[in-house]
Amino acid sequence: MNTSTNPHGRYLGNVVGGSLNRGIEVRLDPQVPVEEMALGQHVVIQGQSRRFFGIITDITLETSDDSVRANPPDLSNPLVASVVSSTAVYATLQVLPMLALEGEMALIDGPMPAKTVPPHFAPVHLAAKEDVEMVFGREDERHFWVGTPLDLEERINIDLEEFVKRSNGVFGKSGTGKTFLTRLLLVGILQKSAAVNLVFDMQSEYGWMGTSEGTGTVKGLKQLFPSKVAVFSLDEEHGRRRGISPDYLVKVGYNQIEPEDIEMLRETLNLSEVAADAAFTVAGHFGQQRWLRQFLDLDGQEVQELSKSINVNERALSTLHNRLRRLSRFHFVTERETDESVEEILRYLDRGIHVVLEFGRYQNELAAYILVANLLTRRIHSRYVTRKEEAMGDQAKEPRPLVITIEEAHRFLSPGIASQTIFGTIAREMRKYNVTLLVVDQRPSGIDDEVMSQLGTKLSCLLDNERDVDAVMSGVSGARELRSVLSKLDSKQESLIFGHAVPMPIVVRVRDYGTNESYRELGFQEASELRQQMERDADDLFGGR
Amino acid sequence: MGLSLEHDETRLGEVVETSTTGFVAQCYQLFGAPPLGALVKSGGPYPAYGVVHQVSTQGIDPTRRPVARGQDEATEEDVYRSNPQLAHLLRTDFQAVIVGHSAEEDLRYHLPPTPPPIYAFVHMCSTEEVRMFTANPAFLRPLATSSITALEEVVAACLRYTAPMQEDTEKFLIGVGKQLAGFFPGDFRRVETILRRAAL
Ligand SMILES: Nc1ncnc2c1ncn2[C@@H]1O[C@H](COP(=O)(O)OP(=O)(O)O)[C@@H](O)[C@H]1O
Ligand SMILES: [Mg+2]
């Protein structure tokens, strides 16, 4: 496409000022009703030799004459009204230039980040379908359709191959569509085989089926792609009640729980620092394999004695003792386990089968979630590290790229613990060992800054808490302007996407999930269709009847 | 656009005082001045268009003021009937702001190189001519930016005079209004005043 051809969208006005940092000021043509402009809309600015792509970050009403503010003219006179609206008052758009398409090079290189600004009076148009397609590409083997821009029917695709190279985040306050968006991303990763997924599915929303405020239930990954997804569970009964049996029942042995896991649970179990630290001392005393079982077997008297012999504050130790007892209520915790659960997960992942771990009845037990996610992830990560190192750069021997999805991510990545926990490590080391995170959270301000800044792509639904907005926007160029876009998103199913997987920040209405049509578009085939397909394939193979 | 030397209906009088930005014409008929705000045109090498902004009638000898004569007359007309010499002792003048000229068959919306000479004939513009000259709303600039007295009144009068001659009065007034807003930046009050009076 020649970048100097006429832009396709509606004419909006001309550039009248601005800067690359603050954004370009565009005087809106009086013919364009200001109400039709919206934050987050995309515009194309035609410079002399470049075409700029930008996003509307603010809309201002201006007057060239201060007296009309104090004494508004008589608008009942149609002549006066019509003249004032096109002269003394006008609207300006603030446009953040994001990309520049330079001459014929755009065809080869694609859009580049804007490093300069269009000249005064350059004409500004709304981005049209063709423009959006040029910037965001078509859906193909690495691009996955996530939604549509606010004012166009065009599909916005994100580059999943780029996406899984780093850890990413999905944010938004409760009920804004994080889970639905995450589910779509997981489907995308599955379909494009960009990586394998391991999902810690606290609320049982991803595996077999999910819930929806509107329609009750929606299909989970297992229903859509039965042969590519395995559902693991911590709770046998949960599956049985729903008439489905999990592919594997995960158990955790006392012997597998380490003092580090307790450290992660500090907040959830309401332990003081001293109490959590005591776990390390106790483990030193009894030995890694047996410490928890033996510690929990002690009675009050014995705990008291232990505190003296290992020289730990007595109150702290007995609190620790009390709180850890809660863990014994979890049915999935057994006396002794080998790492079989971990091995089984890895076996599935190695075959390219995506694993969703459902928590069943423990869905409201944050301690169970944190404990299991942390414990399994630590082991899986360490296998990945070993295997990656053994492969010594031989791509064929490397383990498949793995994306681990965690909800309530701030519980794992809060500033106090992110530097010590496995999740913090994974977030920081990027894709060094082929493992990345997909963190899902409604309180991003609770996540360590450094972790936030390592996230490659962020998809944020509506956030209204200032601190959360700040956290999501930290370190982003044009953050100030984008914040206003973020806080004005629709309360559902709208998301601002920015980072490595998209060429520029964009607001999308997230693709619908939950209708039969949506399932079909995601490649789901009903059993009857599958049969027909098989028959057709057989006909092809053996010749028709 | 040559000027006919024959006397015609549209001829109002001739220039008796002239300068770069405007001229004074004396009417052939006592009280024969065009209406306030009307578009007139002078002769000369650069026929100039002007907007009438000041009309006056006084004695030919400015040092002597007319005396009252009507005490015994029944009507005002009777005063003139009984004193036929008055038509020769009084004169009507009008002043016009030059708003453009024609040169090489073209309309120019700026001042002519030289103003109309003394004794140049002054004509009323035809409807067709008004329409042509006012097709460009910039025609108001020299008037709107001049320093004549009662400026708003004159501009409004000019619009009252020219608007009904347009094919689309409303469109014309909106176009003019936008121009005015540009002539009076930061003073929309003034634009509003003029527009309200123009539309009366
Ligand atoms: N992409 C979508 N398609 C269809 N419905 C959606 C979509 N996104 C959100 N919703 C609706 O909004 C509700 C809340 O979304 P959910 O993902 O559960 O929010 P969150 O995880 O942020 O609390 C869903 O139950 C569903 O009804
Ligand atoms: Mg959710």
Side-chain angles (χ1 to χ4, degrees):
Chain A
M1 190 190 295
N2 184 347
T3 56
S4 61
T5 51
N6 278 337
H8 308 273
R10 175 176 194 175
Y11 171 71
L12 297 181
N14 296 78
V15 171
V16 291
S19 79
L20 187 54
N21 276 332
R22 282 180 292 117
I24 301 296
E25 200 183 324
V26 176
R27 181 164 175 159
L28 193 67
D29 187 90
Q31 302 293 323
V32 182
V34 63
E35 295 166 40
E36 286 178 19
M37 298 289 96
L39 286 193
Q41 278 179 330
H42 289 82
V43 302
V44 178
I45 307 175
Q46 183 64 58
Q48 258 153 30
S49 58
R50 293 176 172 83
R51 184 134 152 220
F52 295 83
F53 239 85
I55 178 169
I56 298 178
T57 57
D58 201 3
I59 302 166
T60 319
L61 295 179
E62 304 267 17
T63 53
S64 55
D65 174 356
D66 278 343
S67 69
V68 299
R69 281 175 202 266
N71 285 308
D74 173 14
L75 296 181
S76 64
N77 182 325
L79 178 58
V80 172
S82 150
V83 171
V84 77
S85 68
S86 54
T87 55
V89 297
Y90 56 98
T92 58
L93 306 176
Q94 205 67 26
V95 172
L96 200 60
M98 292 288 175
L99 296 175
L101 298 160
E102 286 185 40
E104 301 295 328
M105 291 305 289
L107 269 186
I108 306 152
D109 296 348
M112 308 292 277
K115 293 205 185 76
T116 179
V117 294
H120 269 102
F121 311 120
V124 181
H125 293 253
L126 264 188
K129 209 168 170 302
E130 293 80 354
D131 300 311
V132 172
E133 187 180 294
M134 174 143 90
V135 171
F136 289 90
R138 291 166 188 268
E139 193 169 11
D140 57 19
E141 56 293 349
R142 54 188 288 177
H143 287 91
F144 177 71
W145 163 35
V146 283
T148 46
L150 295 188
D151 45 351
L152 291 170
E153 283 305 302
E154 188 64 358
R155 294 178 174 188
I156 295 297
N157 304 308
I158 69 171
D159 184 343
L160 283 180
E161 215 165 292
E162 203 52 46
F163 186 74
V164 300
K165 281 186 188 160
R166 295 161 192 260
S167 291
N168 303 295
V170 175
F171 305 107
K173 52 179 214 173
S174 179
T176 51
K178 293 184 297 301
T179 298
F180 272 61
L181 176 54
T182 305
R183 202 187 287 113
L184 279 168
L185 293 170
L186 295 174
V187 170
I189 293 172
L190 179 151
Q191 279 189 333
K192 311 289 177 192
S193 304
V196 274
N197 290 300
L198 169 58
V199 184
F200 290 107
D201 185 6
M202 184 166 168
Q203 312 279 349
S204 303
E205 294 170 306
Y206 298 101
W208 181 248
M209 62 184 178
T211 51
S212 168
E213 290 166 14
T215 48
T217 60
V218 294
K219 288 189 198 302
L221 298 177
K222 177 78 175 178
Q223 281 190 69
L224 289 184
F225 308 102
S227 64
K228 286 189 183 163
V229 177
V231 176
F232 281 38
S233 179
L234 283 174
D235 179 9
E236 203 168 7
E237 282 175 29
H238 177 69
R240 206 178 291 137
R241 269 200 310 277
R242 298 189 297 174
I244 37 178
S245 60
D247 293 280
Y248 191 84
L249 209 56
V250 173
K251 301 269 180 217
V252 169
Y254 282 113
N255 59 315
Q256 293 176 309
I257 301 174
E258 296 173 22
E260 280 171 66
D261 297 315
I262 310 305
E263 180 80 32
M264 286 283 287
L265 289 171
R266 235 192 73 195
E267 213 175 297
T268 317
L269 294 182
N270 196 14
L271 292 169
S272 70
E273 223 165 295
V274 180
D277 278 351
F280 287 90
T281 322
V282 174
H285 179 74
F286 290 118
Q288 286 294 350
Q289 287 286 316
R290 291 187 323 227
W291 75 278
L292 186 55
R293 181 71 268 179
Q294 297 209 347
F295 182 49
L296 289 179
D297 281 346
L298 302 180
D299 62 22
Q301 181 67 32
E302 290 163 327
V303 170
Q304 212 171 10
E305 283 159 22
L306 178 66
S307 82
K308 289 203 185 73
S309 79
I310 61 174
N311 198 15
V312 168
N313 176 296
E314 191 194 314
R315 285 260 309 278
L317 196 64
S318 76
T319 314
L320 178 68
H321 188 258
N322 266 330
R323 303 280 158 79
L324 289 186
R325 283 225 158 138
R326 276 196 215 167
L327 301 184
S328 53
R329 289 204 321 257
F330 299 156
H331 294 273
F332 58 84
V333 178
T334 65
E335 287 308 314
R336 196 165 184 81
E337 287 292 327
T338 57
D339 275 350
E340 190 47 33
S341 296
V342 174
E343 296 301 339
E344 193 64 17
I345 292 174
L346 286 169
R347 273 195 286 274
Y348 274 94
L349 297 179
D350 283 343
R351 279 155 47 209
I353 294 177
H354 306 257
V355 175
V356 180
L357 176 56
E358 293 192 341
F359 284 69
R361 83 183 91 151
Y362 304 107
Q363 64 167 338
N364 295 318
E365 295 278 3
L366 208 50
Y369 186 63
I370 295 175
L371 177 70
V372 172
N374 197 46
L375 192 142
L376 292 179
T377 302
R378 198 170 54 234
R379 285 171 167 73
I380 289 168
H381 179 255
S382 97
R383 294 308 155 82
Y384 260 71
V385 171
T386 319
R387 285 159 65 182
K388 172 92 186 199
E389 278 165 357
E390 279 168 4
M392 291 195 304
D394 180 351
Q395 295 250 321
K397 288 195 191 140
E398 280 185 12
R400 276 174 197 270
L402 170 64
V403 174
I404 299 179
T405 301
I406 42 169
E407 291 239 6
E408 296 278 337
H410 68 272
R411 311 274 182 186
F412 301 89
L413 294 164
S414 65
I417 57 178
S419 56
Q420 300 144 40
T421 67
I422 182 61
F423 292 101
T425 308
I426 296 176
R428 277 191 309 271
E429 68 194 9
M430 300 194 4
R431 200 198 195 173
K432 198 161 155 206
Y433 298 111
N434 288 14
V435 184
T436 57
L437 298 179
L438 178 54
V439 300
V440 183
D441 205 314
Q442 78 256 30
R443 244 196 67 207
S445 61
I447 297 179
D448 183 55
D449 287 349
E450 199 196 332
V451 170
M452 285 301 282
S453 68
Q454 292 292 340
L455 298 181
T457 304
K458 295 174 189 158
L459 302 94
S460 185
C461 303
L462 177 69
L463 282 171
D464 49 14
N465 178 304
E466 288 280 313
R467 303 217 334 271
D468 289 330
V469 175
D470 282 342
V472 170
M473 284 296 153
S474 72
V476 179
S477 76
R480 209 167 49 89
E481 289 73 18
L482 287 177
R483 307 176 45 111
S484 59
V485 174
L486 185 54
S487 53
K488 296 289 184 315
L489 290 176
D490 224 44
S491 64
K492 251 193 191 52
Q493 221 181 330
E494 246 180 53
S495 176
L496 171 68
I497 307 177
F498 58 97
H500 286 85
V502 282
M504 63 183 279
I506 182 159
V507 176
V508 299
R509 188 187 144 74
V510 176
R511 177 172 177 177
D512 267 327
Y513 185 95
T515 59
N516 284 332
E517 193 192 343
S518 72
Y519 298 143
R520 250 194 314 279
E521 282 173 328
L522 287 167
F524 172 69
Q525 289 179 309
E526 296 283 354
S528 59
E529 293 176 69
L530 270 179
R531 235 178 358 259
Q532 280 171 13
Q533 177 70 40
M534 259 160 62
E535 281 164 14
R536 266 200 306 278
D537 290 351
D539 285 352
D540 283 351
L541 190 59
F542 303 118
R545 273 154 282 182
Chain B
M1 239 168 256
L3 285 177
S4 125
L5 290 178
E6 287 163 44
H7 178 85
D8 63 48
E9 298 278 275
T10 65
R11 216 166 103 190
L12 300 163
E14 49 197 62
V15 172
V16 293
E17 200 181 312
T18 183
S19 74
T20 298
T21 54
F23 54 83
V24 182
Q26 183 181 342
C27 296
Y28 294 136
Q29 306 292 317
L30 185 61
F31 304 119
L36 186 68
L39 191 68
V40 297
K41 190 173 82 173
S42 78
Y46 299 101
Y49 289 89
V51 171
V52 176
H53 70 92
Q54 185 77 270
V55 178
S56 60
T57 299
Q58 55 193 336
I60 347 181
D61 180 354
T63 59
R64 291 168 58 197
R65 185 185 287 176
V67 292
R69 291 168 191 270
Q71 193 162 24
D72 301 328
E73 304 288 354
T75 69
E76 290 163 6
E77 286 77 34
D78 290 343
V79 178
Y80 286 93
R81 219 172 289 125
S82 318
N83 299 283
Q85 78 285 8
L86 281 184
H88 303 287
L89 295 175
L90 296 177
R91 60 189 280 186
T92 296
D93 290 348
F94 65 88
Q95 293 181 36
V97 177
I98 299 179
V99 291
H101 66 284
S102 65
E104 294 158 17
E105 307 280 301
D106 248 347
L107 294 178
R108 308 276 158 95
Y109 294 92
H110 52 87
L111 299 178
T114 55
I118 295 286
Y119 301 135
F121 295 158
V122 179
H123 292 255
M124 201 66 183
C125 288
S126 69
T127 301
E128 190 46 40
E129 222 168 349
V130 169
R131 221 180 274 152
M132 267 167 57
F133 190 75
T134 58
N136 182 346
F139 80 95
L140 276 179
R141 174 183 290 280
L143 175 66
T145 55
S146 70
S147 54
I148 58 171
T149 45
L151 183 94
E152 287 94 334
E153 289 294 340
V154 177
V155 176
C158 176
L159 294 178
R160 278 196 305 274
Y161 179 81
T162 52
M165 299 185 197
Q166 310 294 326
E167 268 156 23
D168 185 340
T169 309
E170 193 184 319
K171 194 169 149 219
F172 171 75
L173 287 175
I174 290 175
V176 164
K178 291 187 193 174
Q179 285 285 323
L180 288 175
F183 301 150
F184 305 130
D187 196 1
F188 193 77
R189 274 294 97 185
R190 208 162 181 191
V191 179
E192 191 184 355
T193 308
I194 294 172
L195 289 178
R196 293 167 66 101
R197 291 180 191 179
L200 286 177

